[in-house]
Amino acid sequence: MRVAFSGCTLPGAEEPLFTVEPGRMALGLGIHGEPGIAESELPTADAVADLLVDGLLSERPPEHREGERRVAVLLNGLGATKYEELYVVHRRVDARLREEGLVPSHPVVGEQVTSLGMAGLSLTLTFLDDELAGLWAAPALAPAFQRGTLSPPPSRTDDLPAPRTAPVEPGTPASRHAAHHLARALRTAAETVAEQEKRLGDIDAVAGDGDHGIGMRRGTEAAARAAEAALEAGAGAKSLLARAGEAWSERAGGTSGALWGAALSAAGRTLGDAEPVTPETAVRAVRAGLDAVLRLGGARPGDKTLVDAAVPFTERLEERLGGRGGGEGPSRHPGPGSGTPESARPDRGPDIPPHTSDTSAAVRTDRGPGTPDHIPGSVGADRGPGAPEDISVAARVDGDVGGPMDGVAEWVSAAEVATRAAEATADITARLGRARTHGDRSLGTPDAGAVSFALIVTAVAKAMSEPEAASGPPAVTGPEALAVPETVPGARAGHGREARSGTATALVEGEENP
């Protein structure tokens, strides 16, 4: 249980994640810097100790009340609280525990787990049995914790093999052409997230730890670099997305990093390294990515997560592109209302919740005063000088590619749906993640994960609408740009791309190595 007298400031941030007014104390904060769930007048040191002890003893397990008296005590400083102050609080903690008939075992007082420069402290009690008591008292030697004496550790060895990424399996010319566009889309996503990093962090700090912007910037940049390196090595769509997903998961960290990494890997397995990518297979890949997120994260629409934007985005794509060519394409996942039971849908595990085709609740626009009309950078927002008023006009590309091409308008439409759905999460209280303990606090603020998803798919829509630079492949736009004959000139690996290093090697747990 934790209390804080000031918030912490992330490196590079201009202000702390939350503030505590002088003479006040925050109670129940998160170790990652999340604000407390309540505030009170600043009490005395003894009153702080009583508050922490009473709160923890109220959760004492019943079996520990019958004879066992030993308890492990850890009084931890959060970064800016002096050791003298910690010992003053510990004096009262120890006295209170003994008044309750408990025997403190090997108490630890000091900074063990800090939250940058936060002023505050936490108290941890572990109710011991014989086994736990022996483990708690055992000698230990670690960079941040030492107890007793241990034999000298063995000499350090540096001959362990470095992790290696499996070599890229060359893709066919058609798949490499698609990979080029995927790498371009990932680079666009990285640039967009970098521009919006601070805002994403500010949104996340309202009811979370404020690091969503940092994590997304690191993840998208790593994914873009890994994709460009894979492209230079001749990767097709599957291999490129697998490398990008690994890099995103490894570098971003956190839940969102793992989910985005899994989504890219799942999408890549749908596309493969041999076949050209059609609008229908592109939609199937998006569905596979969403299914991976639903399976691993367990979120449902209405939980105030990225799923609230990803589900309506995917369903709009399936509605607009999945039925091309005179009815549903043979590879399209049956959508809601198609008459196919949920259990019959391909690649959907039993733990994936049914999704609803009624996304009206997710795209409400009656958000009250003060809610922005558009997420910055989204479709319909101010895109700066030179940007078309309606991005969908770029869906028609004439000239060298042999007439107007379709597909971009459908993606833009889905991105607009995702943007409205992300904005509408301001009306939802969080039910998952760290923000769930601050559900009411999050009202009026959209979910950072949903916002970043909308920003990314909107940026990709804009990239799809712009012809390639002269050094790139032919200026084909939209999902059709991914589909080319096996002998398309200029579709060789890495065409017009600079090779970059930094490919990460970690796979998301549960995802197979492509």
Side-chain angles (χ1 to χ4, degrees), residues 168-226:
V168 169
E169 293 292 334
T172 63
S175 187
R176 293 201 303 270
H177 184 83
H180 181 101
H181 288 274
L182 291 169
R184 183 180 177 217
L186 287 168
R187 174 51 60 191
T188 300
E191 293 169 353
T192 300
V193 169
E195 293 172 356
Q196 298 292 329
E197 175 184 350
K198 183 180 185 303
R199 180 170 184 269
L200 292 174
D202 291 345
I203 293 173
D204 189 38
V206 172
D209 55 8
D211 66 351
H212 185 73
I214 294 174
M216 289 295 293
R217 174 183 56 77
R218 293 171 61 180
T220 53
E221 177 60 30
R225 290 187 178 184

Side-chain angles (χ1 to χ4, degrees), residues 32-211:
H32 296 90
E34 301 93 332
I37 59 175
E39 283 193 8
S40 69
E41 295 292 332
L42 182 63
T44 64
D46 282 359
V48 170
D50 290 340
L51 178 68
L52 297 175
V53 170
D54 290 339
L56 294 177
L57 289 184
S58 67
E59 299 184 4
R60 183 179 178 184
E63 60 271 17
H64 194 267
R65 302 175 186 272
E66 301 174 359
E68 182 58 68
R69 297 297 179 185
R70 291 170 293 181
V71 59
V73 180
L74 171 59
L75 186 63
N76 174 62
L78 295 179
T81 301
K82 304 299 183 182
Y83 274 58
E84 292 88 345
E85 297 172 304
L86 294 177
Y87 282 115
V88 170
V89 175
H90 176 259
R91 170 192 57 81
R92 176 62 176 174
V93 169
D94 184 83
R96 280 294 315 279
L97 292 175
R98 295 183 185 278
E99 289 174 4
E100 298 290 335
L102 297 171
V103 180
S105 174
H106 298 81
V108 175
V109 180
E111 293 181 341
Q112 301 299 320
V113 182
T114 60
S115 188
L116 299 174
M118 182 182 293
L121 54 91
S122 65
L123 177 64
T124 302
L125 299 181
T126 302
F127 302 100
L128 303 174
D129 55 23
D130 289 339
E131 180 182 13
L132 290 176
L135 294 172
W136 173 245
L141 179 61
F145 184 79
Q146 299 181 24
R147 170 173 286 151
T149 58
L150 288 172
S151 301
S155 300
R156 176 177 175 177
T157 59
D158 295 317
D159 57 352
L160 297 177
R164 294 184 300 174
T165 302
V168 169
E169 293 292 334
T172 63
S175 187
R176 293 201 303 270
H177 184 83
H180 181 101
H181 288 274
L182 291 169
R184 183 180 177 217
L186 287 168
R187 174 51 60 191
T188 300
E191 293 169 353
T192 300
V193 169
E195 293 172 356
Q196 298 292 329
E197 175 184 350
K198 183 180 185 303
R199 180 170 184 269
L200 292 174
D202 291 345
I203 293 173
D204 189 38
V206 172
D209 55 8
D211 66 351

Side-chain angles (χ1 to χ4, degrees), residues 162-170 226 229-231 233-236 238-240 242-244 246 273 503-507 512-514:
R164 294 184 300 174
T165 302
V168 169
E169 293 292 334
L231 189 68
K238 171 185 174 181
S239 296
L240 182 140
R243 293 294 183 86
E246 293 169 13
D273 281 329
T503 302
T505 59
L507 282 172
E512 63 185 9
N513 190 356

Side-chain angles (χ1 to χ4, degrees), residues 455-471:
L455 288 171
I456 287 173
V457 296
T458 298
V460 170
K462 185 176 181 181
M464 290 166 60
S465 70
E466 296 172 349
E468 284 279 358
S471 61

